[in-house]
Every structure is written in C-alpha cells, then in structure tokens.
Coordinates of all heavy atoms in Angstrom, one line a residue:
L1 N 20.5 7.2 10.3 CA 20.0 8.6 10.8 C 19.5 9.4 9.5 O 18.6 10.2 9.6 CB 21.1 9.4 11.5 CG 21.4 8.8 12.9 CD1 22.6 9.6 13.4 CD2 20.2 9.1 13.8
L2 N 20.2 9.2 8.4 CA 19.9 9.9 7.2 C 18.6 9.4 6.7 O 17.6 10.2 6.3 CB 21.0 9.7 6.1 CG 20.6 10.4 4.8 CD1 20.3 11.9 4.9 CD2 21.9 10.3 3.9
A3 N 18.3 8.1 6.8 CA 17.1 7.5 6.4 C 16.0 7.9 7.3 O 14.8 8.2 6.9 CB 17.2 6.0 6.3
C4 N 16.2 8.0 8.6 CA 15.2 8.4 9.6 C 14.8 9.9 9.3 O 13.7 10.3 9.5 CB 15.8 8.2 11.0 SG 15.8 6.5 11.5
T5 N 15.9 10.7 8.9 CA 15.7 12.1 8.5 C 14.5 12.1 7.4 O 13.6 12.9 7.5 CB 16.9 12.7 8.0 OG1 17.8 12.9 9.0 CG2 16.6 14.1 7.4
M6 N 14.7 11.3 6.4 CA 13.7 11.2 5.3 C 12.4 10.8 5.7 O 11.3 11.4 5.5 CB 14.2 10.3 4.3 CG 15.5 10.8 3.6 SD 16.3 9.6 2.5 CE 15.1 9.6 1.1
V7 N 12.3 9.7 6.7 CA 11.0 9.3 7.1 C 10.3 10.3 7.9 O 9.1 10.5 7.8 CB 11.3 7.9 7.9 CG1 10.0 7.6 8.6 CG2 11.7 6.8 7.0
L8 N 11.0 10.9 8.8 CA 10.4 11.9 9.8 C 10.0 13.1 9.1 O 8.9 13.7 9.4 CB 11.3 12.3 10.9 CG 11.8 11.1 11.9 CD1 12.6 11.6 13.0 CD2 10.6 10.3 12.3
A9 N 10.8 13.5 8.0 CA 10.4 14.7 7.3 C 9.1 14.4 6.4 O 8.3 15.2 6.2 CB 11.5 15.1 6.3
A10 N 9.1 13.2 5.8 CA 7.8 12.8 5.1 C 6.6 12.8 6.0 O 5.6 13.3 5.6 CB 8.1 11.4 4.5
T11 N 6.8 12.3 7.2 CA 5.7 12.3 8.2 C 5.3 13.7 8.5 O 4.0 13.9 8.5 CB 6.2 11.6 9.4 OG1 6.6 10.2 9.2 CG2 5.0 11.4 10.4
E12 N 6.2 14.6 8.8 CA 5.8 16.0 9.1 C 5.2 16.6 8.0 O 4.1 17.4 8.1 CB 7.1 16.7 9.5 CG 6.9 18.1 9.9 CD 8.2 18.8 10.2 OE1 9.2 18.2 10.6 OE2 8.2 20.1 10.4
T13 N 5.6 16.4 6.7 CA 5.0 17.0 5.5 C 3.6 16.6 5.3 O 2.7 17.3 5.0 CB 5.9 16.7 4.3 OG1 7.2 17.2 4.6 CG2 5.2 17.4 3.1
A14 N 3.4 15.3 5.4 CA 2.0 14.7 5.2 C 1.1 15.2 6.4 O -0.1 15.4 6.0 CB 2.2 13.2 5.2
Q15 N 1.6 15.2 7.6 CA 0.7 15.7 8.6 C 0.3 17.1 8.4 O -0.9 17.5 8.6 CB 1.5 15.6 10.0 CG 1.6 14.2 10.6 CD 2.1 14.2 12.0 OE1 2.0 13.2 12.7 NE2 2.9 15.2 12.3
A16 N 1.1 18.0 7.9 CA 0.8 19.3 7.6 C -0.3 19.4 6.5 O -1.2 20.3 6.6 CB 2.0 20.2 7.2
A17 N -0.1 18.6 5.5 CA -1.0 18.6 4.4 C -2.4 18.1 4.8 O -3.5 18.6 4.4 CB -0.4 17.9 3.2
L18 N -2.4 16.9 5.5 CA -3.6 16.3 5.9 C -4.4 17.0 7.2 O -5.5 16.7 7.5 CB -3.4 14.8 6.2 CG -2.8 14.0 5.0 CD1 -2.5 12.7 5.5 CD2 -3.9 14.0 3.9
E19 N -3.5 17.8 7.9 CA -4.0 18.4 9.1 C -4.5 17.4 10.1 O -5.5 17.6 10.8 CB -5.1 19.5 8.7 CG -4.6 20.6 7.8 CD -5.7 21.6 7.5 OE1 -6.9 21.2 7.6 OE2 -5.4 22.7 7.3
K20 N -3.7 16.4 10.4 CA -4.0 15.4 11.3 C -2.7 14.6 11.7 O -1.8 14.4 10.7 CB -5.1 14.5 10.9 CG -4.8 13.6 9.7 CD -5.9 12.7 9.4 CE -5.7 11.7 8.2 NZ -6.8 10.9 7.9
P21 N -2.6 14.0 12.8 CA -1.4 13.2 13.1 C -1.4 11.9 12.3 O -2.5 11.3 12.1 CB -1.5 13.0 14.7 CG -3.0 13.1 14.9 CD -3.6 14.2 13.9
L22 N -0.2 11.4 12.1 CA 0.0 10.1 11.4 C 0.4 9.0 12.4 O 0.7 9.4 13.6 CB 1.0 10.2 10.3 CG 0.5 10.5 8.9 CD1 -0.2 11.9 8.9 CD2 1.6 10.4 7.8
L23 N 0.4 7.8 12.0 CA 0.9 6.7 12.8 C 2.4 6.4 12.4 O 2.7 6.3 11.2 CB 0.1 5.5 12.6 CG 0.6 4.1 13.3 CD1 0.8 4.3 14.8 CD2 -0.2 3.0 12.8
L24 N 3.3 6.5 13.4 CA 4.7 6.2 13.1 C 5.1 4.9 13.8 O 5.0 4.8 15.0 CB 5.6 7.4 13.5 CG 7.1 7.2 13.4 CD1 7.5 7.0 12.0 CD2 7.9 8.3 14.0
L25 N 5.5 3.9 13.1 CA 5.9 2.6 13.7 C 7.5 2.6 13.7 O 8.2 2.9 12.7 CB 5.4 1.5 12.8 CG 4.0 1.4 12.6 CD1 3.6 0.3 11.6 CD2 3.1 1.3 13.9
I26 N 8.1 2.3 14.8 CA 9.6 2.3 14.9 C 10.0 0.9 15.5 O 9.6 0.5 16.7 CB 10.1 3.3 15.9 CG1 9.5 4.7 15.5 CG2 11.6 3.4 15.7 CD1 10.0 5.8 16.4
D27 N 10.7 0.1 14.7 CA 11.1 -1.2 15.1 C 12.5 -1.1 15.7 O 13.5 -0.8 15.0 CB 11.1 -2.2 14.0 CG 11.2 -3.7 14.4 OD1 11.1 -3.9 15.7 OD2 11.4 -4.5 13.6
D28 N 12.7 -1.4 17.0 CA 14.0 -1.3 17.7 C 14.8 -0.1 17.3 O 15.9 -0.1 16.7 CB 14.8 -2.6 17.3 CG 16.0 -2.8 18.2 OD1 16.1 -2.0 19.2 OD2 16.8 -3.7 17.9
P29 N 14.4 1.1 17.7 CA 15.1 2.3 17.4 C 16.6 2.4 17.9 O 17.4 3.1 17.2 CB 14.2 3.5 18.1 CG 13.5 2.7 19.2 CD 13.2 1.3 18.7
A30 N 16.9 1.6 18.9 CA 18.3 1.7 19.4 C 19.2 0.9 18.5 O 20.5 1.2 18.7 CB 18.3 1.1 20.8
A31 N 18.8 0.1 17.6 CA 19.7 -0.7 16.8 C 20.6 0.1 16.0 O 20.2 1.1 15.3 CB 19.0 -1.6 15.9
E32 N 21.9 -0.1 16.1 CA 23.1 0.6 15.3 C 23.2 2.0 15.7 O 23.9 2.8 14.9 CB 22.7 0.5 13.8 CG 22.7 -1.0 13.4 CD 22.5 -1.1 11.8 OE1 21.5 -0.6 11.3 OE2 23.4 -1.7 11.2
L33 N 22.6 2.5 16.8 CA 22.8 3.9 17.1 C 23.4 4.0 18.5 O 23.0 3.2 19.4 CB 21.4 4.6 17.1 CG 20.6 4.7 15.8 CD1 19.3 5.5 16.1 CD2 21.4 5.4 14.8
D34 N 24.4 5.0 18.7 CA 24.9 5.2 20.0 C 23.8 6.0 20.9 O 22.9 6.4 20.4 CB 26.2 5.9 19.9 CG 26.1 7.3 19.2 OD1 25.2 8.1 19.5 OD2 27.0 7.6 18.3
G35 N 24.2 6.1 22.1 CA 23.3 6.8 23.0 C 22.8 8.2 22.6 O 21.7 8.6 22.7
G36 N 23.8 9.0 22.2 CA 23.5 10.4 21.8 C 22.6 10.4 20.5 O 21.7 11.2 20.4
S37 N 22.9 9.6 19.5 CA 22.1 9.5 18.4 C 20.7 9.0 18.6 O 19.7 9.6 18.1 CB 22.8 8.6 17.3 OG 24.0 9.0 16.9
L38 N 20.5 8.1 19.5 CA 19.2 7.7 19.8 C 18.4 8.7 20.5 O 17.2 8.9 20.2 CB 19.2 6.4 20.8 CG 17.9 5.8 21.3 CD1 17.1 5.3 20.1 CD2 18.3 4.7 22.2

C-alpha cells in the first residue's frame, strides 16, 4: 500500500504537469491485500 501510494502520487503529479491522463498498469491488484485495502 505504501508503494502504491508512491506510484499513484507520481501518476497524479505527472498528469497535472502534462495536462493529460496517463496509462496505469496494475498486475493482480488483489495480491497480498485484504478486501478493505483492495
């Protein structure tokens, strides 16, 4: 979750700077996360 925090924040920051949406790839988001975290 902490690493995902970093990835999502980087994505948000770059989108704001570039003024366009980015591509986000997520491989098996449920791995190692409980239902609430997911």
Side-chain angles (χ1 to χ4, degrees):
L1 288 175
L2 181 51
C4 288
T5 292
M6 297 173 67
V7 171
L8 299 187
T11 303
E12 181 177 343
T13 302
Q15 285 189 157
L18 299 173
E19 298 182 332
K20 65 179 183 181
L22 268 64
L23 172 61
L24 177 63
L25 306 174
I26 313 179
D27 192 14
D28 194 8
E32 299 183 303
L33 297 181
D34 58 45
S37 296
L38 177 61

